[in-house]
Amino acid sequence: MAYLLVNAAHILSIGLLFGAIVTLDLKILGLFKQYPITVLGPPLSRVAAAGVALAAVTGLMLFSVRPMAYLQNTAFLIKIGLIGLGVINALVLSRNRYWRLALLQGKTHWKVRLPALLSLIFWVSAIVAGRWTGFV
């Protein structure tokens, strides 16, 4: 029963992360023009961060059930690498002066749009690798 609940919490946390980050990335890339980045950016960033944190906690709990099997699973290792790239990308963006300017002035420089595109690639790929993990 505990495994079921942790697994459900992991899926919900991924939904939180993915929903927030995809919405934010698409906004940065030019969709949802009627909603200012100055308004959407801060809450979506916080929701995505909460999703990452919860996914990490629940993911570690799931990992602890069969650590050796996961460490030998190529798809799992790729997933972890992609998650690492996604988190690093987000941290670098959060310290980017153009991101801070976007949040203040609403204009997205290419140095904000490029990390948003990379974010989409990393997180979508991590989801695919996560699903692939069960089939390897």
Side-chain angles (χ1 to χ4, degrees):
M1 181 68 147
Y3 185 85
L4 170 72
L5 294 175
V6 172
N7 198 2
H10 191 62
I11 292 167
L12 288 170
S13 64
I14 292 167
L16 247 149
L17 161 65
F18 199 69
I21 204 68
V22 167
T23 303
L24 181 57
D25 289 340
L26 291 176
K27 169 59 191 154
I28 291 168
L29 292 172
L31 273 70
F32 316 122
K33 292 181 191 245
Q34 67 272 32
Y35 304 105
I37 190 73
T38 56
V39 174
L40 285 180
L44 288 174
S45 297
R46 286 191 288 278
V47 169
V52 167
L54 185 57
V57 169
T58 56
L60 284 171
M61 293 169 78
L62 294 171
F63 174 81
S64 72
V65 174
R66 298 180 357 175
M68 294 314 291
Y70 285 117
L71 289 174
Q72 295 172 357
N73 187 314
T74 303
F76 175 78
L77 297 175
I78 291 169
K79 171 188 161 182
I80 296 304
L82 288 163
I83 290 169
L85 289 172
V87 169
I88 290 167
N89 185 58
L91 290 172
V92 169
L93 177 61
S94 73
R95 287 160 177 72
N96 179 328
R97 75 183 189 110
Y98 292 104
W99 171 243
R100 291 189 298 277
L101 283 173
L103 293 177
L104 291 172
Q105 300 172 356
K107 295 179 183 156
T108 53
H109 189 272
W110 72 267
K111 289 184 179 180
V112 174
R113 289 190 303 273
L114 178 60
L117 178 61
L118 290 173
S119 172
L120 281 174
I121 292 167
F122 294 148
W123 293 112
V124 168
S125 298
I127 295 286
V128 171
R131 297 304 309 140
W132 179 33
T133 298
F135 299 98
V136 175

